[in-house]
Amino acid sequence: MTTITVTVNGIRYTSEVEPRLLLVHYLREHLNLTGTHIGCDTSQCGACVVHINGVSVKSCTTLAVQCDGAEITTIEGLSSDGQLHPLQEGFWEKHGLQCGFCTPGMIMAAADLLKRNPNPTEEEIRHGLEGNLCRCTGYENIVRAVRYAAEKMAAAQAAD
Amino acid sequence: MTATEMKERLVGRALKRREDPKLITGHGNYLDDIKLPGMLHIALVRSPYAHAKIVSIDASKALAMPGVVAVFTGKDMLDINPMPAAWQAAGVKNYPVPPRALAVDKVALVGDPVAMVVAENRYIARDAADLVEVEYEPLPAVVDARKAVEPGAPQIHEAAPNNIVFEWECGNKDAADAAIASAEVVVKEEIINQRLIPTPMETRGSIARYDPLTGEWTVWMTSQAPHVHRLLLTAFVFGVPETKLRCIAPNVGGGFGQKIFCYNDMAFTMWAARKLGRPVKFVEDRSENYKYSTHGRDHITEAELAGTRDGKITGLRVKTWANIGAYFSTVAAGIPTTLYGRIITGVYKIPAAYVHVTGAYTNTAMVDAYRGAGRPEASYLIERMVDRFAAEIGMDPAEVRRKNFIQPEDFPYDNGLGLLPYDSGNYEPALNKALEIAGYAEFRKQQEELRKQGRYLGIGISSYVEICGIAPSAWMGGQGWGAGLWESANVRVHLTGKVVVTTGSLPHGQGLETTFAQIVADELGVPYEDVEIQWGDTQGTPFGYGTYGSRSLAVGGVAIKRSVDKIKEKARKLAAHLLEANEADIVFENGRAYVKGSPDKGKTIGELAAAAAVAYNLPPGMEPFLDETSYYDPPNCTFPFGTHVSIVEVDPETGHVKLLRYIAVDDCGNQINPLIVEGQIHGGIAQGLAQALYEGAVYNEDGQLLTGTLMDYAVPTAAMVPHIETDHTVTPSPVNPLGVKGAGEAGTIASAQCVMNAIIDALAPFGVKHLQMPATPERIWKAIHGK
């Protein structure tokens, strides 16, 4: 067993974990943050994407012990003060989800994409989300949702 | 609101979904999110061989591991029956061999479970599963349906001689033979509809809890049909009263058919929970889902289409080998028979058609319904053959379609294949609209020009019709379906005026909570926010056959409407009593009942609900409460249709296809929520075009699944799917009072051949007449180079 200290969604946790414990299992089983999902066993689907120190990472291929000292944000920590993140709003407005299983990972990956490229074209969004699979939407409305968020965030920044 | 102000109608409006807030914030409740006190975890020991005898199983090392509670094998579970074979091919002998909870004595596919380890957590369970030693005696395997029924093929089940599940036919063989023998033109093709893996993003699983004091189970399951699973598991597998099992489907992360069926894990979790007295959980990982949960399609077909030089189709003869996999999955035989053969002629009037289907066992994963289920196979076949015929006689494929379409005045239309009559349709406007959006005439000129420059563009047309709202029970009974197909709904208006609807339908992405609430709010005239839709738990919802086959609106939604109608009828009687008027003089609009001519004097539905609930002053003989249930069994299926068009460019150097445009014009009857309908169409198209371009489950000759993970099986990413242009026509269904048809599968049914027809059109200068799916660069390059 190894002791790790991590900050998840602003809360500090110190835990005893097996060295082989995957981050996704740590989040889901130890911290009960079940919004981060597992959709594959080969790191393809991206349902498990979270942010580690502000960067999107697949938590199914990260060991919990690698995150000692890190700041982690999961889908549960994306909205603040009861306000939806513009991406959450975009996915709702544009019907960017159906079954919702891929959605947390998709939103977390898109949040990182918009950080790197605040005004992506349709093609840049499609390529930027290549690490995440959705089987329901055909991606059309996911692209619209990300565009909605980009525009909303740009408008908010212009207003500041 | 005064009586004369109209409440804004919600039906037809693109409301955003009420189910989304929890799903976008990480607060959904999917199966693997559920933890119960004392819960144990199951890991399976699965066969590495496609076909083998089990010689011995030694679990001693696994049992010695700390944290392991038990190891069970198939022989421990002989006190329960195999899974039911619920839908057998109609009118012929079937040889159903459904799977058992765990394999006994032999295995029939890679991934067949031979033992299960139950442990304190999933890591220990998995470690211990590796320590179970199983000795096998490998047997020869067969993976191809046509080869499986040839003499000398390895025999998989004693109960199914020659690996035949059924041999079934429909149509008129003599007429089809005669039409083909006397035709001016006959085109013949071998058409393979490759095996696909449905791939809902959430895999499957079950959690079972048993109460020894009452003998009752609660099972949480990734299910599209919890009421059906409750019935099958109790009455058929365990032989206990139905009342001893409560099934709960929490949020379900996509189904696409794969979660309709009764699976072994439902049974072995129940069995283990009872045996061990603790709750148990089993959740597949993705590679287990790919190996053992059901696949779709996998047809090999020899097709012949006959016609005249001026473009009239006169006959169709089809011989199909349908791969059923290693065992008989729940409704496996119905898919390549009723849902395929009976709609083989599609949108065309073909005077003579005949279909013969052989269902075959092979050493592969079970094949059952996958989005569209039989109809994509039928639609792909006829639309490829029509294009093949058009090319043969040198006629524009759009023109051939127009010449042979069933005409508006032909409805209700009997296609002569043992189907109920097509309800309504108007095929040409959808075709014309799609071609107009595509700029068809212009494109043809441009195509000609570009070919001169060595650029190869193609346009593909797919006109489809499908069978939705699958029912009525009396007809489906005759199709070999082992139950009914009605749906039910209960509607209650509580004392506070809040409306609760319970339904046996089960949304898992389709947005039924939103759609159903729109209907109820309009019909009852109450605020949308006051309507709650409850589903998914057999305790608290009336029986339903489940959500699949694009049937939850056309059957389940109509059951809700009929319950609302009964509520209104009772409320009208009560209003007449309270307002001291004749019932005939009561006007009901905008959620308010008033006496004709005196709109100011009335009672809202909330006031009437309160009056009915407190029951101080009811008409003689009236029971308290506004609470009504309906069981709705439609008189017919519904038949959505449409035309899709796609434009591709093929690079002759590399064989790479670029999908330049995809246009979908669909007619699903009246639309309740266009946002949701469009979303269903998008998703369906992505799955169908993925069949054309990317996906295919591949087994080697030994029965090893070579596409066993998402690394090898090409589920498309966002960058592999084009922008989709959608439009629609509206031809209401006369079958139900909502005029709806269904939209969940249309996209998948229309799209594979749409893209393939475009690719083959692009390759026409190279003499390519047909190409099997997926149209990979390698396959295209070989076709261009005649290899």
Side-chain angles (χ1 to χ4, degrees):
Chain A
M1 287 290 190
T2 306
T3 304
I4 59 166
T5 300
V6 290
T7 303
V8 182
N9 301 332
I11 301 171
R12 211 172 131 93
Y13 299 90
T14 298
S15 309
E16 292 279 309
V17 299
E18 270 193 81
R20 64 171 176 169
L21 182 71
L22 295 171
L23 176 60
V24 68
H25 287 143
Y26 175 69
L27 295 170
R28 292 177 50 82
E29 310 283 339
H30 291 234
L31 305 187
N32 286 320
L33 293 169
T34 54
T36 302
H37 297 150
I38 303 169
C40 74
D41 42 16
T42 48
S43 248
Q44 250 79 38
C45 81
C48 65
V49 169
V50 299
H51 293 181
I52 301 177
N53 297 327
V55 178
S56 68
V57 171
K58 288 180 174 172
S59 62
C60 73
T61 12
T62 307
L63 296 168
V65 293
Q66 289 175 285
C67 300
D68 190 22
E71 294 250 354
I72 296 168
T73 307
T74 70
I75 186 70
E76 291 94 339
L78 193 63
S79 53
S80 54
D81 306 329
Q83 276 289 96
L84 292 178
H85 185 281
L87 273 163
Q88 290 170 316
E89 207 182 296
F91 272 72
W92 193 9
E93 290 291 334
K94 297 295 174 189
H95 190 26
L97 65 150
Q98 289 178 27
C99 81
F101 195 79
C102 76
T103 311
M106 197 64 85
I107 288 177
M108 296 310 284
D112 192 25
L113 169 68
L114 290 183
K115 218 181 289 173
R116 288 178 281 115
N117 180 358
N119 187 24
T121 62
E122 176 181 340
E123 205 183 337
E124 286 167 343
I125 294 168
R126 289 182 183 274
H127 281 284
L129 295 177
E130 268 185 318
N132 292 69
L133 295 176
C134 169
R135 194 57 157 169
C136 292
T137 63
Y139 303 103
E140 182 75 24
N141 288 343
I142 290 179
V143 172
R144 290 179 194 170
V146 177
R147 275 305 313 163
Y148 173 98
E151 282 159 28
K152 175 125 192 186
M153 287 159 85
Q157 204 159 30
D160 279 347
Chain B
M1 183 166 74
T2 69
T4 46
E5 271 178 63
M6 284 306 282
K7 183 176 168 289
E8 192 183 6
R9 277 181 67 79
L10 298 177
V11 165
R13 277 186 53 196
L15 296 192
K16 61 184 181 182
R17 301 195 318 171
R18 52 166 56 193
E19 34 278 87
D20 289 356
K22 65 180 180 178
L23 303 178
I24 54 179
T25 54
H27 295 99
N29 182 40
Y30 299 89
L31 182 90
D32 201 17
D33 302 343
I34 296 168
K35 273 188 195 175
L36 302 176
M39 188 169 75
L40 297 167
H41 297 260
I42 291 173
L44 295 176
V45 180
R46 293 182 182 272
S47 169
Y49 296 104
H51 196 195
K53 282 185 186 154
I54 302 168
V55 178
S56 65
I57 301 173
D58 180 356
S60 52
K61 284 181 193 159
L63 283 164
M65 205 175 142
V68 172
V69 175
V71 179
F72 299 115
T73 69
K75 284 192 173 155
D76 295 320
M77 297 181 194
L78 291 175
D79 56 336
I80 56 173
N81 295 314
M83 303 299 115
W87 192 1
Q88 304 193 14
V92 296
K93 182 155 174 56
N94 286 248
Y95 299 87
V97 184
R100 301 196 72 98
L102 297 174
V104 177
D105 293 331
K106 69 176 274 188
V107 292
L109 75 156
V110 168
D112 218 352
V114 298
M116 64 186 254
V117 175
V118 192
E120 295 291 342
N121 71 42
R122 68 176 81 201
Y123 281 58
I124 296 171
R126 190 59 74 84
D127 284 344
D130 288 344
L131 299 178
V132 176
E133 288 170 4
V134 186
E135 193 187 331
Y136 298 94
E137 185 186 314
L139 299 167
V142 61
V143 299
D144 173 294
R146 191 164 45 184
K147 286 181 185 157
V149 297
E150 280 172 4
Q155 296 296 296
I156 301 171
H157 303 295
E158 264 177 40
N162 303 316
N163 300 322
I164 288 173
V165 187
F166 59 81
E167 289 205 71
W168 178 92
E169 61 184 1
C170 73
N172 186 332
K173 185 173 188 306
D174 293 340
D177 289 348
I180 286 162
S182 64
E184 286 177 23
V185 184
V186 176
V187 286
K188 186 173 179 179
E189 206 61 69
E190 177 172 296
I191 291 186
I192 294 171
N193 203 297
Q194 84 271 32
R195 176 181 285 247
L196 301 176
I197 310 183
T199 321
M201 291 319 300
E202 177 201 38
T203 60
R204 288 189 331 88
S206 313
I207 299 171
R209 182 175 68 193
Y210 181 73
D211 182 345
L213 296 177
T214 59
E216 289 170 6
W217 283 274
T218 303
V219 179
W220 290 260
M221 44 173 59
T222 50
S223 171
Q224 297 177 231
H227 283 281
V228 173
H229 291 145
R230 179 194 197 207
L231 172 69
L232 296 179
L233 289 164
T234 52
F236 295 91
V237 180
F238 280 81
V240 297
E242 206 177 337
T243 47
K244 294 294 178 191
L245 174 60
R246 172 183 179 187
C247 292
I248 301 172
N251 287 129
V252 177
F256 314 116
Q258 197 185 59
K259 294 172 182 171
I260 299 171
F261 319 117
C262 202
Y263 283 95
N264 62 340
D265 50 273
M266 297 168 183
F268 68 59
T269 53
M270 285 173 66
W271 188 92
R274 182 173 65 180
K275 181 89 178 167
L276 299 170
R278 288 175 68 180
V280 296
K281 179 193 254 190
F282 170 77
V283 180
E284 298 171 327
D285 62 26
R286 177 59 62 190
S287 48
E288 289 183 291
N289 176 270
Y290 272 23
K291 281 193 193 95
Y292 193 80
S293 287
T294 54
H295 294 178
R297 322 283 190 254
D298 205 344
H299 285 195
I300 300 169
T301 297
E302 292 169 1
E304 293 156 283
L305 184 141
T308 62
R309 289 252 157 242
D310 65 356
K312 262 306 206 198
I313 303 169
T314 54
L316 178 69
R317 188 166 61 197
V318 170
K319 184 166 175 54
T320 295
W321 289 264
N323 199 331
I324 299 295
Y327 301 104
F328 190 112
S329 170
T330 315
V331 300
I335 310 306
T337 55
T338 295
L339 294 182
Y340 166 72
R342 298 207 193 282
I343 194 154
I344 203 78
T345 48
V347 288
Y348 309 107
K349 267 202 249 189
I350 301 182
Y354 172 72
V355 181
H356 180 276
V357 184
T358 304
Y361 288 115
T362 63
N363 298 109
T364 62
M366 290 177 279
V367 178
D368 207 325
Y370 164 48
R371 199 173 195 169
R375 292 151 288 160
E377 296 91 316
S379 188
Y380 180 69
L381 185 96
I382 188 65
E383 287 300 282
R384 271 284 43 247
M385 290 306 286
V386 165
D387 255 35
R388 179 80 177 70
F389 172 58
E392 189 74 20
I393 60 172
M395 187 178 277
D396 186 312
E399 207 40 50
V400 174
R401 284 174 172 81
R402 285 193 189 98
K403 264 196 149 137
N404 292 282
F405 273 156
I406 300 158
Q407 295 301 313
E409 63 272 18
D410 295 331
F411 293 91
Y413 175 75
D414 179 357
N415 73 359
L417 294 168
L419 193 60
L420 293 168
Y422 294 13
D423 60 344
S424 62
N426 195 0
Y427 300 150
E428 200 167 326
L431 171 72
N432 292 343
K433 198 169 195 174
L435 293 178
E436 194 186 307
I437 295 168
Y440 187 66
E442 269 309 298
F443 173 84
R444 284 293 183 203
K445 285 181 212 151
Q446 190 195 4
Q447 181 185 37
E448 204 49 52
E449 283 306 306
L450 289 169
R451 273 180 186 166
K452 289 176 196 156
Q453 300 167 27
R455 289 181 61 191
Y456 296 92
L457 274 70
I459 191 162
I461 302 170
S462 161
S463 296
Y464 74 94
V465 59
E466 56 150 332
I467 315 166
C468 283
I470 293 168
S473 303
W475 178 69
M476 282 299 285
Q479 296 303 306
W481 176 263
L485 268 176
W486 43 264
E487 290 296 326
S488 65
N490 174 266
V491 176
R492 273 166 289 151
V493 188
H494 287 264
L495 197 143
T496 55
K498 306 292 181 203
V499 183
V500 175
V501 177
T502 53
T503 168
S505 297
L506 191 115
H508 42 281
Q510 298 86 345
L512 293 178
E513 275 186 51
T514 302
T515 302
F516 287 168
Q518 286 177 261
I519 295 169
V520 173
D522 270 9
E523 294 284 334
L524 218 45
V526 298
Y528 172 72
E529 297 71 27
D530 284 358
V531 181
E532 189 178 326
I533 310 292
Q534 297 178 350
W535 52 269
D537 187 342
T538 58
Q539 180 172 305
T541 62
F543 191 93
Y545 284 95
T547 290
Y548 43 82
S550 309
R551 62 191 298 279
S552 286
L553 187 53
V555 191
V558 177
I560 293 173
K561 187 204 166 345
R562 286 165 69 112
S563 292
V564 171
D565 288 345
K566 288 185 187 174
I567 294 266
K568 281 161 78 174
E569 206 41 49
K570 185 168 176 180
R572 177 191 300 276
K573 284 194 172 71
L574 180 56
H577 175 72
L578 295 174
L579 298 170
E580 296 174 342
N582 280 329
E583 206 187 314
D585 294 332
I586 297 291
V587 179
F588 214 119
E589 64 179 25
N590 298 324
R592 196 165 168 280
Y594 61 88
V595 183
K596 202 182 333 182
S598 321
D600 295 339
K601 224 181 99 188
K603 297 276 182 194
T604 66
I605 189 80
E607 289 167 335
L608 292 167
V614 298
Y616 296 158
N617 180 14
L618 299 181
M622 180 179 276
E623 290 181 6
F625 226 86
L626 298 184
D627 179 335
E628 298 290 344
T629 299
S630 292
Y631 292 81
Y632 175 62
D633 200 350
N636 193 357
C637 309
T638 58
F639 297 83
F641 61 91
T643 292
H644 290 199
V645 171
S646 67
I647 298 177
V648 302
E649 179 166 6
V650 179
D651 181 343
E653 296 295 318
T654 62
H656 183 260
V657 176
K658 189 157 187 202
L659 194 40
L660 302 174
R661 286 184 75 187
Y662 195 99
I663 297 139
V665 176
D666 295 282
D667 192 323
C668 62
N670 292 334
Q671 299 192 6
I672 307 297
N673 185 323
L675 184 71
I676 289 176
V677 170
E678 195 194 24
Q680 290 296 310
I681 299 294
H682 289 156
I685 290 168
Q687 288 180 15
L689 70 83
Q691 176 172 26
L693 293 173
Y694 313 118
E695 291 181 26
V698 181
Y699 285 91
N700 72 7
E701 282 187 4
D702 299 329
Q704 294 294 332
L705 179 61
L706 302 180
T707 52
T709 71
L710 278 168
M711 271 202 283
D712 321 289
Y713 185 79
V715 169
T717 67
M720 293 157 76
V721 176
H723 166 59
I724 295 164
E725 302 165 56
T726 57
D727 208 330
H728 57 270
T729 59
V730 176
T731 309
S733 173
V735 170
N736 62 67
L738 296 173
V740 297
K741 291 194 169 186
E745 296 161 296
T748 312
I749 290 165
S751 48
Q753 63 277 7
C754 180
V755 174
M756 291 307 294
N757 283 346
I759 294 170
I760 292 160
D761 182 51
L763 297 178
F766 299 101
V768 175
K769 292 177 175 172
H770 182 64
L771 200 62
Q772 307 296 3
M773 299 186 288
T776 56
E778 182 194 5
R779 202 168 252 165
I780 289 174
W781 189 89
K782 281 181 171 166
I784 289 172
H785 293 84
K787 292 182 196 281

